[in-house]
């Protein structure tokens, strides 16, 4: 008799097959439950293949559109991090100082002081450098004895042979009050020569450490007292913090007291044309520079020429740039500006674009020539100023393409800055015999006035400043709002969608394969055996979970029931 073929036990699926089945089921579960629009139709059994393909294509098109729009927003966020607007709070000019003025005679040396120097002398070589810039194009000039072995310091020569401020400044007025010019101006050596400076910071506030002493004796030389009178106190000022809260009765940098010529600064200058040996330009006159009290600019390139025999009015518009603290979070290379406490300089206390560029130029010239010109900052303690023999190297190095370009590329404008934009208007001084207001001009010969005299007025035009305000153009909140709006409009995306992705891709598989089975079964709601029926207050999900208890729990319950029935029948 043939025995019936024993039934083979079902083959246990491999681990890989189990994983594939689970992943497909998990993906289907996600597509059914996700809040993203259109995905649930891909697993809807009531739709045919073409209908599912339509929704899949719509979803893909939405994804491409969203990526394109968000990339445009990100590109704008990267390219335009800062927007410049108008500050809603006008600044009165009473809170800012008068501009720092630098007045320079175009005459490079007084004729009476240099007329006796003979060709071939060291002093004559210095005059050639000051008066003839084309000598550096002649290679033979460098080999001449008076240039080759000339150790003369050019700054000392300029101080000794230039017109002093006591001869250049004839009369001064501050707010229509006659003031001794020595109380307003001090002499400084610049790239234009010996000049007269007004309303600049005291060197101890302008330079660092040992640089204060070197700035007085070597760099921006002060030839008279820095504090003119016992009652005039120098104070610290910068564009970010402004004036201190407590101020002495008289101080500088001096503030303005209003608008118009009557509340500005007026000076009368004497060019002394008969003493002209050579000019820094094509004629006689003066160069004027207006800047911030914390800035030490180069005059020869940016000075404004003032003619002789004329009355010139500089009507000044102050431009104040402010910055919102929010832009500090933006990288300096992107916002293209620097706060005072973000970039420290070597020689200067306060950062300005000009100061940074001057220090870069000093480092470049020290590297190439071993010295620096007298008008640049001393960035090293052992740095020396160039004598006449080294000036050829300096001029050649400055003519190279983009000198110190890599360093200067890091010199951004200050985030908070004060600049001045003057409008200059000139009219000829009196040439005929009629009454004028100035007694000084009345007593001077008309020919003398036309040849040597220039009158200059500096004054503010407006009583308030509408400052420029730099602010964040697209901050993180705006970027998140824009991208979130696009994602929500096209796809229904939200932070809950992120939570769903994290759950179905990470947490749910962990609960399935990593968490021990006993911990998973302990969470199953089991039905109490004594209960006659399912509690009517249970939720449908709880009823479902009761009906799908684990396999081990069912076997344990069946074994206990078998033993209980045997015990009742008296077998045991």
């Amino acid at each position: 008799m043939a025995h019936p073929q024993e039934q083979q036990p079902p083959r246990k699926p491999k681990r890989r097959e189990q994983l594939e089945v689970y992943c497909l089921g998990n993906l289907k579960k996600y597509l059914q439950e996700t809040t993203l629009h259109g995905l649930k139709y891909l697993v809807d059994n009531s739709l045919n293949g073409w209908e599912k393909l339509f929704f899949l294509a719509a979803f893909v098109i939405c994804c491409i559109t969203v990526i394109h729009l968000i990339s445009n927003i990100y590109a704008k966020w990267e390219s335009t991090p800062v927007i410049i607007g108008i500050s809603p709070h006008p600044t009165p000019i009473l809170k800012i100082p008068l501009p720092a003025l630098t007045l320079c005679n175009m005459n490079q040396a007084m004729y009476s002081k240099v007329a006796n120097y003979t060709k071939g002398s060291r002093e004559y070589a210095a005059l050639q450098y000051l008066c003839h810039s084309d000598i550096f194009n002649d290679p033979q000039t460098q080999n001449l004895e008076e240039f080759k072995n000339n150790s003369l310091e050019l700054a000392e020569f300029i101080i000794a042979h230039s017109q002093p401020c006591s001869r250049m400044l004839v009369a001064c007025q501050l707010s229509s009050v006659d003031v001794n010019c020595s109380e307003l101006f001090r002499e400084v050596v610049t790239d234009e020569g010996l000049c007269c400076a007004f309303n600049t910071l005291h060197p101890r506030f302008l330079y660092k450490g040992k640089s204060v002493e070197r700035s007085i004796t070597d760099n921006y030389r002060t030839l008279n007292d820095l504090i003119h009178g016992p009652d005039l106190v120098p104070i610290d000022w910068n564009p970010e913090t402004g004036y201190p809260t407590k101020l002495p009765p008289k101080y500088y940098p001096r503030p303005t007291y209003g608008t118009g010529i009557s509340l500005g600064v007026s000076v009368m200058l004497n060019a002394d044309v008969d003493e002209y040996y050579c000019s820094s330009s094509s004629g006689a006159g003066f160069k004027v520079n207006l800047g911030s009290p914390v800035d030490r600019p180069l005059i020869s390139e940016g000075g404004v020429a003032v003619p002789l025999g004329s009355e010139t009015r500089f009507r000044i518009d102050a431009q104040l740039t402010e910055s919102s603290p929010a832009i500090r979070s933006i990288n300096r290379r992107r916002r293209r500006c620097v706060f005072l406490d973000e970039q420290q300089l070597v020689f200067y206390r306060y950062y300005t674009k000009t100061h940074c560029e001057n220090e870069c130029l000093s480092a470049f010239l020290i590297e190439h020539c071993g010295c620096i010109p007298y008008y640049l900052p001393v960035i090293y303690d052992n740095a020396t100023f160039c004598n006449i023999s080294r000036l050829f190297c300096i001029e050649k190095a400055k003519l190279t393409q983009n000198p110190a370009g890599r360093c200067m590329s890091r010199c951004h404008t200050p985030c908070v800055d004060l600049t001045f934009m003057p409008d200059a208007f000139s009219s000829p001084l009196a040439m005929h015999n009629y009454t004028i207001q100035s007694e000084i001009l009345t007593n001077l010969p008309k020919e003398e006035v036309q040849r040597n005299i220039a009158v200059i007025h500096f004054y503010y035009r407006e009583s308030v400043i509408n400052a420029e305000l730099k602010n964040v153009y697209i901050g993180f909140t705006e970027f998140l709002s824009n991208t979130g709006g696009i994602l929500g409009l096209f796809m229904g995306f939200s932070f809950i969608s992120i939570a769903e992705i994290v759950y179905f891709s990470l947490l749910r598989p962990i609960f399935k394969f990593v968490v021990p089975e006993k911990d998973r079964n302990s969470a199953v709601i089991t039905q109490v055996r004594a209960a006659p029926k399912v509690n009517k207050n249970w939720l449908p999900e709880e009823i479902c979970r009761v009906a799908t208890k684990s396999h081990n729990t069912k076997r344990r319950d069946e074994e206990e029931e078998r033993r209980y029935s045997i015990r009742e029948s008296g077998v045991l």
Side-chain angles (χ1 to χ4, degrees):
M1 182 177 178
H3 296 283
Q5 188 176 2
E6 294 182 0
Q7 185 177 3
Q8 297 291 333
R11 182 178 67 86
K12 186 177 182 180
K14 296 181 180 180
R15 183 72 174 178
R16 181 177 179 180
E17 295 176 352
Q18 291 179 345
L19 186 61
E20 290 178 355
V21 172
Y22 175 79
C23 290
L24 291 175
N26 192 42
L27 177 61
K28 184 176 181 180
K29 181 69 173 178
Y30 169 74
L31 295 177
Q32 290 174 339
E33 303 295 338
T34 183
T35 57
L36 293 180
H37 296 169
L39 294 181
K40 65 179 181 180
Y41 298 109
L42 302 181
V43 292
D44 189 349
N45 295 329
S46 63
L47 302 179
N48 58 37
W50 289 105
E51 293 173 322
K52 295 180 180 179
L53 183 61
F54 169 78
F55 284 107
L56 177 61
F59 184 79
V60 172
I61 292 173
C62 287
C63 289
I64 296 174
T65 305
V66 164
I67 293 173
H68 175 70
L69 295 177
I70 292 179
S71 64
N72 291 341
I73 296 175
Y74 182 78
K76 183 179 291 186
W77 186 35
E78 280 290 322
S79 62
T80 315
V82 174
I83 186 172
I84 300 177
I86 303 298
S87 174
H89 307 291
T91 303
I93 60 171
L94 302 179
K95 294 186 178 181
I96 64 173
L98 287 165
L101 307 177
T102 307
L103 311 178
C104 305
N105 194 335
M106 295 182 186
N107 184 20
Q108 297 298 290
M110 298 184 70
Y111 184 83
S112 61
K113 295 183 178 181
V114 300
N116 295 329
Y117 293 136
T118 60
K119 187 176 182 180
S121 63
R122 299 190 310 164
E123 292 78 7
Y124 185 81
L127 287 173
Q128 297 303 302
Y129 171 79
L130 293 174
C131 300
H132 304 286
S133 59
D134 56 344
I135 64 172
F136 299 102
N137 299 327
D138 186 4
Q140 296 181 356
T141 306
Q142 185 176 1
N143 298 325
L144 295 177
E145 189 66 25
E146 60 265 29
F147 288 99
K148 188 174 182 181
N149 299 316
N150 195 335
S151 61
L152 183 65
E153 291 286 345
L154 189 60
E156 302 295 340
F157 182 85
I158 292 174
I159 294 172
H161 298 85
S162 298
Q163 182 192 37
C165 291
S166 58
R167 292 188 60 172
M168 185 174 72
L169 297 167
V170 178
C172 299
Q173 284 187 343
L174 182 62
S175 298
S176 299
V177 178
D178 292 333
V179 182
N180 190 337
C181 293
S182 62
E183 296 182 7
L184 300 181
F185 290 86
R186 62 185 179 90
E187 292 176 329
V188 293
V189 177
T190 69
D191 59 323
E192 183 65 21
L194 187 63
C195 301
C196 306
F198 164 78
N199 220 37
T200 60
L201 282 185
H202 189 281
R204 75 167 176 263
F205 300 128
L206 190 60
Y207 309 113
K208 287 184 175 180
K210 296 181 179 179
S211 302
V212 175
E213 298 178 1
R214 297 207 67 178
S215 68
I216 298 174
T217 59
D218 290 332
N219 196 269
Y220 291 95
R221 291 167 171 76
T222 303
L223 305 180
N224 51 355
D225 286 338
L226 296 173
I227 303 177
H228 308 286
D231 298 332
L232 190 59
V233 180
I235 62 171
D236 195 7
W237 177 91
N238 65 74
E240 284 194 16
T241 60
Y243 283 111
T245 305
K246 296 182 179 180
L247 293 170
K250 293 183 179 181
Y251 56 90
Y252 72 93
R254 292 171 174 82
T256 186
Y257 298 104
T259 61
I261 293 178
S262 61
L263 295 178
V265 179
S266 299
V267 293
M268 184 183 298
L269 306 177
N270 180 15
D272 208 355
V273 176
D274 293 336
E275 286 284 353
Y276 262 58
Y277 180 82
C278 65
S279 175
S280 61
S281 64
S282 299
F286 300 95
K287 282 188 179 180
V288 177
N289 183 82
L290 290 78
S292 173
V294 301
D295 204 7
R296 305 295 334 132
L298 300 180
I299 309 300
S300 61
E301 299 293 338
V304 180
V306 175
L308 300 178
S310 64
E311 184 177 21
T312 304
R313 289 174 169 83
F314 282 88
R315 189 175 62 188
I316 303 169
D317 287 321
Q319 291 188 350
L320 181 62
T321 301
E322 299 176 345
S323 294
S324 170
I327 72 171
R328 283 182 177 267
S329 60
I330 303 174
N331 188 279
R332 279 184 287 176
R333 289 177 296 179
R334 295 182 58 226
R335 69 174 185 248
R336 310 294 293 180
C337 72
V338 178
F339 288 93
L340 291 182
D341 58 351
E342 289 183 328
Q343 185 165 335
Q344 299 297 319
L345 300 177
V346 178
F347 185 79
Y348 301 100
R349 279 191 62 205
Y350 291 119
Y351 175 90
T352 68
K353 190 174 187 295
T354 302
H355 289 173
C356 180
E357 291 175 346
N358 288 346
E359 290 195 357
C360 288
L361 188 56
S362 291
F364 174 79
L365 295 177
I366 289 176
E367 180 182 355
H368 286 76
C369 301
C371 61
I372 56 176
Y374 64 90
Y375 52 83
L376 288 180
V378 186
I379 59 175
Y380 304 125
D381 292 337
N382 59 349
T384 59
F385 292 107
C386 300
N387 53 35
I388 300 297
S389 62
R390 301 296 297 168
L391 292 177
F392 286 89
C393 177
I394 295 295
E395 297 299 327
K396 290 180 180 179
K398 288 166 62 176
L399 293 176
T400 58
Q401 185 177 5
N402 195 18
R406 184 175 181 182
C407 177
M408 289 189 179
S409 64
R410 298 193 294 267
C411 296
H412 303 303
T413 58
C415 292
V416 180
D417 195 17
L418 177 64
T419 57
F420 302 95
M421 302 298 293
D423 292 328
F425 306 93
S426 296
S427 60
L429 293 173
M431 297 180 61
H432 303 285
N433 294 324
Y434 50 81
T435 304
I436 59 176
Q437 294 185 355
S438 175
E439 294 183 3
I440 298 177
L441 291 178
T442 302
N443 297 328
L444 289 175
K446 295 297 186 290
E447 182 180 354
E448 176 73 10
V449 171
Q450 293 300 316
R451 280 173 50 82
N452 293 318
I453 301 301
V455 178
I456 311 177
H457 305 281
F458 304 93
Y459 60 94
Y460 283 119
R461 182 176 65 172
E462 300 290 345
S463 59
V464 295
I465 306 170
N466 294 315
E468 294 181 349
L469 179 62
K470 293 183 178 181
N471 210 338
V472 178
Y473 181 43
I474 299 180
F476 179 76
T477 303
E478 290 78 9
F479 178 78
L480 189 63
S481 300
N482 292 339
T483 55
I486 292 174
L487 288 169
L489 177 64
F490 284 88
M491 303 173 61
F493 187 88
S494 66
F495 280 105
I496 298 299
S497 303
I498 298 177
E500 291 173 348
I501 295 173
V502 172
Y503 172 73
F504 282 97
S505 62
L506 185 63
L507 298 181
R508 199 164 186 257
I510 290 177
F511 293 152
K512 175 66 177 178
F513 297 103
V514 179
V515 177
E517 186 178 357
K518 62 179 182 178
D519 294 337
R520 297 199 305 269
N521 292 337
S522 63
V524 177
I525 300 177
T526 57
Q527 182 179 4
V528 180
R529 184 189 312 166
K533 61 180 179 179
V534 176
N535 193 327
K536 65 179 180 179
N537 295 323
W538 284 6
L539 298 175
E541 292 81 358
E542 294 176 339
I543 298 174
C544 179
R545 293 175 68 181
V546 169
T548 57
K549 293 186 294 182
S550 68
H551 180 67
N552 292 336
T553 304
K554 290 181 179 181
R555 290 186 59 184
R556 186 167 56 251
D557 293 343
E558 290 174 357
E559 182 66 21
E560 290 179 358
E561 289 178 359
R562 188 180 66 82
R563 291 181 179 181
Y564 179 79
S565 60
I566 294 175
R567 194 165 47 245
E568 288 294 328
S569 61
V571 175
L572 295 180

